[in-house]
C-alpha cells in the first residue's frame, strides 16, 4: 500500500474544471484531502476488492484515488458531461488499472443497482448548500449513499457533525469516524475576493448496514 503522501502526489496530476458551475458548487477536491479520505477508507478495508462509487465525481479526484488503491471497480456519477470528459482524461493521466465507469446522471438518484453480494463504498464531496436555493444540498447525497452503499465517506462544512449523525441515524446508519480536513479553494468565480481561501471542513464515515458503532 502506498502512503497517504504518495497517493496525494499521484493525484496531483488530476485536472480541475474547465468551466465550473456556481449552481452545482463545482469546487475541486484538493489531492491532499482526497488522499486523506481514501487512505482512511483503505485502512478500514473499504476500498480494496470492493465497488467504489463517487457521487458527484466532477473531474474524478476521489474516484481515481479509490482506483489507485485497488478497488475492484469504480463508478463516477455526475450530471456534467464536460466534467466527465475531463475525468476520462485524468484517468489516463494517473494510469489507474482499475475498471472505471464514468456515468452521466443525477448523483442524488444514481442509476445503479448493485448486487446484494457486491459490497459498495461511496466516496463523495457533495455541495455544501452554500448557494441560495441550494441549501442542505448534501442531504440528497447522503440519502443516495444510504440507498446504494454499505459504507460511505463524505466531506461536509465545518460544524456538520450533529446534522450528519442525526441524518445517518434516521436512515438506519451510524457515524463511526469523523475527522477535520481543510479545503484550499482557489479563486474561480467573480464573487471570490481572494486568490485562495482555506475552508474548514469535516469528513465522515457512515456505516449504513445497521451494524456500525459510533466512536463516541
Amino acid at each position: 500500500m502506498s502512503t497517504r503522501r504518495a497517493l496525494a502526489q499521484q493525484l496531483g496530476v488530476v485536472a480541475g474544471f474547465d468551466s465550473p458551475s456556481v449552481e452545482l458548487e463545482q469546487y475541486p477536491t484538493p489531492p491532499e484531502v482526497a488522499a486523506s479520505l481514501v487512505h482512511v477508507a483503505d485502512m478500514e478495508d473499504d476500498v480494496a476488492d470492493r465497488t467504489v462509487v463517487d457521487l458527484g465525481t466532477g473531474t474524478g479526484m476521489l474516484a481515481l484515488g479509490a482506483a489507485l488503491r485497488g478497488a475492484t471497480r469504480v463508478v463516477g456519477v455526475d450530471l456534467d458531461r464536460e466534467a466527465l470528459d475531463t475525468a476520462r482524461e485524468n484517468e489516463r493521466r494517473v494510469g489507474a488499472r482499475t475498471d472505471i465507469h464514468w456515468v452521466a446522471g443525477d448523483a442524488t438518484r444514481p442509476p445503479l443497482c448493485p448486487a446484494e453480494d457486491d459490497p459498495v463504498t461511496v466516496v463523495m464531496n457533495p455541495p455544501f448548500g452554500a448557494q441560495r436555493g441550494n441549501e442542505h444540498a448534501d442531504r440528497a447525497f447522503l440519502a443516495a449513499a444510504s440507498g446504494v452503499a454499505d459504507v460511505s465517506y463524505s466531506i461536509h462544512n465545518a460544524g456538520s457533525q450533529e446534522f450528519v449523525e442525526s441524518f445517518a441515524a434516521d436512515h438506519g446508519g451510524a457515524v463511526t469516524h469523523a475527522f477535520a480536513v481543510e479545503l484550499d479553494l482557489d479563486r474561480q468565480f467573480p464573487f471570490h475576493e481572494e486568490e485562495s481561501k482555506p475552508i474548514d471542513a469535516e469528513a465522515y464515515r457512515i456505516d449504513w448496514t445497521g451494524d456500525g458503532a459510533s466512536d463516541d
Side-chain angles (χ1 to χ4, degrees):
M1 180 194 302
S2 63
T3 65
R4 176 184 55 80
R5 180 177 296 180
L7 181 59
Q9 291 174 340
Q10 289 176 286
L11 293 173
V13 300
V14 173
F17 298 95
D18 289 332
S19 302
S21 165
V22 63
E23 291 80 10
L24 296 177
E25 294 188 37
Q26 288 181 326
Y27 296 93
T29 304
E32 296 79 11
V33 172
S36 293
L37 187 145
V38 172
H39 181 73
V40 172
D42 199 13
M43 295 294 290
E44 293 296 317
D45 295 325
D46 292 329
V47 177
D49 302 320
R50 295 173 67 97
T51 294
V52 176
V53 178
D54 183 359
L55 297 178
T57 190
T59 64
M61 181 68 80
L62 290 172
L64 292 167
L68 290 169
R69 279 295 178 92
T72 301
R73 71 179 64 83
V74 174
V75 181
V77 183
D78 205 282
L79 280 172
D80 188 341
R81 292 178 180 272
E82 183 178 340
L84 291 177
D85 287 340
T86 302
R88 292 185 183 93
E89 295 173 4
N90 285 331
E91 180 183 354
R92 291 191 287 272
R93 288 189 179 98
V94 303
R97 298 180 180 179
T98 294
D99 189 18
I100 306 178
H101 304 273
W102 304 107
V103 178
D106 185 348
T108 65
R109 296 179 178 84
L112 307 172
C113 187
E116 291 186 5
D117 60 349
D118 182 16
V120 174
T121 297
V122 160
V123 294
M124 57 185 180
N125 183 8
F128 289 173
Q131 299 303 311
R132 182 174 299 176
N134 201 34
E135 294 85 354
H136 309 300
D138 49 356
R139 291 177 184 268
F141 280 78
L142 286 172
S146 73
V148 299
D150 300 287
V151 62
S152 68
Y153 291 79
S154 53
I155 300 170
H156 301 265
N157 204 5
S160 296
Q161 185 162 353
E162 183 178 355
F163 152 65
V164 174
E165 289 179 344
S166 176
F167 188 97
D170 289 345
H171 290 74
V175 172
T176 65
H177 297 62
F179 52 98
V181 296
E182 185 176 88
L183 304 176
D184 290 318
L185 302 185
D186 294 332
R187 188 178 189 277
Q188 59 180 15
F189 297 119
F191 59 84
H192 287 163
E193 298 179 355
E194 303 175 50
E195 289 301 316
S196 181
K197 182 178 181 180
I199 300 293
D200 291 331
E202 298 163 351
Y204 296 92
R205 179 188 187 270
I206 303 175
D207 186 320
W208 298 105
T209 66
D211 297 327
S214 175
D215 278 349
D216 294 342

